[in-house]
């Protein structure tokens, strides 16, 4: 059952499941960004009729399966978000900062769905999906940098305990 508007306002923090999914997805995305080039190498080698090293092949397989895992975990995370809601912004948060937070979070969700989907489409059908998948990497890195900077800003400049919501369940 989805929460009503009145119930959403009463949410004080994230559940342990929401927090766990956040950090698990973050670790998987980080691994994808670091080791994702192995998939490119494997695909290019296959197109040229060459073989890849066992390491490159295993990393490419990992990239494929981690992408599927991310997609599945994001679906669960979205269901939990609809079911449990999210805590309101900290007191005295400006409308602009609140809007930036909402927009950036929904951009994350959009990327966390479209990047694995375009990766799978690129794997099975090639371009343009593979190109779109590749173009998402710098966007993801920029959004992650913004997310981390905003979290640190809230924790150390505003001192509003926003970061603690993703570390300590309510």
């Amino acid at each position: 059952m989805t929460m009503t508007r009145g119930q959403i306002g009463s949410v004080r923090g994230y559940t342990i499941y929401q927090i766990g999914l956040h950090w698990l997805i973050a670790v998987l995305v980080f691994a994808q960004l670091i080791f994702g080039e192995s998939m490119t190498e494997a695909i290019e080698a296959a197109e040229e009729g060459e073989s890849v090293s066992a390491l490159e092949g295993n990393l490419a397989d990992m990239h494929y399966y981690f992408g599927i895992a991310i997609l599945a975990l994001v679906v669960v995370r979205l269901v939990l978000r609809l079911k449990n809601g999210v805590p309101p912004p900290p007191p005295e948060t400006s409308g602009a900062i609140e809007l930036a937070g909402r927009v950036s979070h929904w951009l994350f969700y959009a990327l966390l769905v479209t990047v694995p989907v375009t990766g799978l489409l690129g794997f099975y059908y090639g371009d343009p999906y593979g190109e779109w998948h590749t173009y998402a990497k710098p966007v993801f890195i920029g959004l992650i940098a913004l997310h981390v900077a905003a979290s640190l800003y809230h924790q150390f400049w505003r001192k509003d305990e926003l970061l603690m919501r993703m570390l300590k369940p309510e």
Side-chain angles (χ1 to χ4, degrees), residues 63-120:
H63 187 77
Y64 178 89
Y65 290 113
F66 278 16
I68 292 171
I70 289 168
L71 187 58
L73 292 169
V74 167
V75 169
V76 173
R77 185 153 180 216
L78 284 168
V79 167
L80 284 175
R81 181 183 178 104
L82 291 173
K83 179 179 176 282
N84 298 325
V86 296
E92 301 176 17
T93 300
S94 73
I97 289 177
E98 183 179 345
L99 178 63
R102 286 184 186 189
V103 168
S104 66
H105 279 92
W106 285 109
L107 281 173
F108 264 121
Y109 285 120
L111 282 171
L112 289 166
V113 170
T114 57
V115 171
V117 168
T118 57
L120 287 168

Side-chain angles (χ1 to χ4, degrees), residues 132-145:
W132 297 343
H133 181 76
T134 302
Y135 294 145
K137 184 175 183 176
V139 176
F140 236 131
I141 291 169
L143 193 55
I144 290 166

